[in-house]
Amino acid sequence: MYVDILLGLQWGDEGKGKIVDYLAPQYDVIARFQGGPNAGHTLVIGGEKTILHTVPSGIMHGKPVNIIGNGVVIDPVTLVHEITTLENKGIPVKGRLFISKKAHLILPMHKVLDAASEAAKGQGKIGSTLRGISPTYMDKTGRNGLRMGDILSPDFKVQYQRIKDKHLHLARQYDFEFNVTEDETKWFEAVEILRSHNNLIDSEYYLNDALSKGKTILAEGAQGTMLDIDFGTYPYVTSSNTISSGACNGLGIAPTKVKEVIGIAKAYCTRVGGGPFPTELDNEVGERIRQIGFEFGATTGRKRRCGWIDLPALKYAIMLNGVTQIAMTKADVLNDFDSIEACTHYNINGTDTENIPYDINEAKIDPVYKSFKGWKQDLGPYSTVGELPTDLKAYLTFLEGHLHTPITMLSTGPEREKLLFKNSMEVVG
Ligand code: GDP
Ligand code: IMO
Ligand code: MG
């Protein structure tokens, strides 16, 4: 019937996994469309935490089918580990997870090349998750890559060796020691396991058949808009299109099939890795947000940089994605703040602008803030948006007006059930 897209509007880790998990029963299919195990999507259900890297966040429910789309890059070792962990928790995966034959494979040498490239960049490193993402997408666009469907080929090992030889040649250009023997053994074991699962499909046909039979799909993004390869803070970005158009490429779905674009944003802002962050709070306020919000990477455990909400960046993200509604997460993290700041525009060399400058990496940006009175209340007891503290409602009303986009969901804790809806939200699903 239609596709809704759910994606991050900031620099990743907005809480996409939690919202997908909540909405999943409303859809027939949940489909990841880009990124790979650089993602870490956290679900907290009945007090138990699950972090998904490659498996879509609909897997915890009985109903939807979960698809890993062609736009995703797959590390067989991580994926098998994830599947085993889920099965050990009693979550059935067989018959509920299907993988596009066209999804590209992350090879052990991709991880070596990622690490070698980062080491060579020194201070200017991207801060990659070292999961081999960039070298894998480079091989995809360079038309050298191996795809999931290739694991079914009788000469898979020959194809593997051919590309490995290229990688060894490339690696010689770096002053970087490595040994992939052990990783390779584990990698081939994982490939064998995935082959035995018998769940590789032509996902573009699967998804379009589902649509023509009246089914609904939720496309799950990874990373965030400001990490998009084209529109993010290049080169401090990831290597895929994280924006809504990436869902069309990454799943083989036409734009005419898309209905809602649900943008996820934190009530403040975080970033992990290098690159510009105009509203960063490199001080005790930022540290306080980090501690209360537990802002440590779900994939690498690194400290996330914290700052106030950046509305020029959010407006940019809303424009690029065609966001129709926003889910705001982690409002509870700001419960105890006397005042809350929202950056409404940037001042660059004495000129105010709401646009993201091309030279954002070098520009001297002074964020201009509007202050809001903190609500100073625990949000735990609230179950509807209508009853929320007046000061929080004032903050949300300002954001909706400024962003010209409704905030239809408000997340007030990591747990699945800590999610409040505004009436208009009932159009989703
Ligand atoms: P994702 O990559 O966008 O799925 O987000 P992550 O899982 O990497 O990071 C979000 C973190 O915030 C996780 O630890 C979530 O459990 C947690 N979280 C999600 N929503 C909320 C919320 O509303 N309040 C709080 N306090 N934590 C939340
Ligand atoms: P989710 O889906 C936050 C960041 C890395 C680094 C840059 C490039 O959990 O929101 P890469 O490994 O992709 O080459 O790293 O992108 N990054 C993320 N930051 N959340 C993510 O995913 C991220 N995936 C990559 O920290 O700065
Ligand atoms: Mg994450």
Side-chain angles (χ1 to χ4, degrees):
M1 198 154 44
Y2 61 82
V3 184
D4 289 341
I5 302 174
L6 184 149
L7 41 71
L9 299 181
Q10 295 161 323
W11 279 278
D13 302 329
E14 297 89 349
K16 299 174 290 293
K18 173 193 159 154
I19 309 292
V20 172
D21 168 64
Y22 189 96
L23 298 178
Q26 300 181 26
Y27 295 90
D28 297 298
V29 181
I30 311 294
R32 259 285 295 273
F33 61 86
Q34 46 66 237
N38 48 350
H41 295 182
T42 314
L43 322 180
V44 181
I45 303 162
E48 195 176 345
K49 190 190 262 199
T50 302
I51 300 178
L52 299 170
H53 301 285
T54 320
V55 173
S57 303
I59 200 77
M60 308 303 276
H61 294 276
K63 183 187 165 198
V65 168
N66 293 269
I67 306 278
I68 300 175
N70 55 281
V72 176
V73 290
I74 295 177
D75 182 340
V77 178
T78 318
L79 180 55
V80 166
H81 178 71
E82 234 176 296
I83 293 171
T84 314
T85 308
L86 287 166
E87 286 176 339
N88 288 344
K89 284 188 184 191
I91 308 223
V93 175
K94 203 164 181 285
R96 301 188 45 240
L97 177 71
F98 297 93
I99 306 172
S100 168
K101 284 183 194 160
K102 296 188 175 70
H104 277 247
L105 279 163
I106 301 175
L107 276 46
M109 278 304 291
H110 284 138
K111 290 206 263 186
V112 170
L113 291 168
D114 199 359
S117 159
E118 284 285 80
K121 283 194 162 95
Q123 288 284 71
K125 70 176 182 182
I126 307 297
S128 140
T129 58
L130 303 179
R131 298 299 188 266
I133 303 297
S134 150
T136 306
Y137 279 115
M138 277 163 71
D139 272 335
K140 174 178 177 175
T141 51
R143 297 162 297 178
N144 290 313
L146 282 181
R147 299 184 291 175
M148 278 305 291
D150 296 329
I151 70 173
L152 306 176
S153 160
D155 70 346
F156 178 61
K157 287 218 162 143
V158 178
Q159 295 180 40
Y160 175 89
Q161 192 56 45
R162 199 180 309 134
I163 187 164
K164 185 182 169 188
D165 289 344
K166 274 193 185 175
H167 289 156
L168 290 174
H169 181 71
L170 268 175
R172 278 198 283 277
Q173 293 167 40
Y174 295 103
D175 180 17
F176 191 80
E177 299 245 331
F178 63 90
N179 183 343
V180 284
T181 317
E182 212 177 292
D183 282 355
E184 266 184 333
T185 309
K186 286 191 196 142
W187 192 87
F188 276 106
E189 280 167 11
V191 164
E192 268 323 300
I193 295 170
L194 291 180
R195 201 199 319 257
S196 72
H197 285 179
N198 214 8
N199 63 352
L200 303 186
I201 58 167
D202 293 310
S203 57
E204 64 278 31
Y205 280 114
Y206 183 99
L207 292 168
N208 283 289
D209 281 353
L211 288 173
S212 64
K213 287 182 182 131
K215 305 223 160 151
T216 57
I217 298 171
L218 180 64
E220 174 179 0
Q223 291 79 56
T225 302
M226 300 307 285
L227 290 170
D228 181 90
I229 183 71
D230 282 285
F231 298 105
T233 49
Y234 192 87
Y236 299 97
V237 293
T238 191
S239 299
S240 62
N241 281 117
T242 59
I243 60 171
S244 51
S245 59
C248 296
N249 290 334
L251 296 174
I253 281 170
T256 46
K257 299 286 194 294
V258 177
K259 201 173 107 199
E260 297 288 320
V261 179
I262 306 164
I264 317 296
K266 284 180 187 173
Y268 49 95
C269 205
T270 63
R271 161 161 218 171
V272 59
F277 183 0
T279 60
E280 181 167 16
L281 293 164
D282 193 11
N283 56 22
E284 68 285 357
V285 182
E287 186 56 35
R288 198 168 156 216
I289 295 177
R290 181 179 302 121
Q291 294 306 327
I292 301 172
F294 194 67
E295 293 297 355
F296 298 89
T299 296
T300 58
R302 291 177 293 176
K303 273 186 182 180
R304 294 178 185 148
R305 299 154 65 191
C306 298
W308 294 121
I309 200 163
D310 181 334
L311 300 179
L314 267 185
K315 274 194 171 174
Y316 187 60
I318 289 166
M319 172 184 84
L320 294 169
N321 291 301
V323 171
T324 58
Q325 50 182 306
I326 295 172
M328 181 148 287
T329 58
K330 306 197 90 161
D332 56 297
V333 174
L334 302 180
N335 281 353
D336 282 331
F337 284 69
D338 292 329
S339 72
I340 286 148
E341 311 293 318
C343 166
T344 52
H345 49 283
Y346 301 154
N347 185 284
I348 306 176
N349 301 327
T351 306
D352 282 348
T353 179
E354 284 196 78
N355 286 358
I356 304 298
Y358 172 76
D359 60 350
I360 187 165
N361 298 324
E362 296 82 36
K364 163 95 187 61
I365 298 178
D366 288 319
V368 180
Y369 291 106
K370 181 173 166 62
S371 269
F372 291 83
K373 200 159 160 264
W375 45 93
K376 305 281 280 178
Q377 275 182 61
D378 176 11
L379 300 178
Y382 293 96
S383 56
T384 70
V385 170
E387 309 168 320
L388 285 171
T390 317
D391 293 319
L392 173 52
K393 278 204 271 193
Y395 178 59
L396 297 177
T397 304
F398 168 79
L399 293 177
E400 286 189 317
H402 189 86
L403 299 169
H404 304 294
T405 313
I407 299 173
T408 55
M409 287 172 260
L410 187 77
S411 175
T412 58
E415 301 82 9
R416 179 189 268 172
E417 61 279 6
K418 291 266 171 72
L419 189 61
L420 313 189
F421 288 87
K422 220 157 113 178
N423 289 343
S424 53
M425 178 54 207
E426 276 142 31
V427 296
V428 166

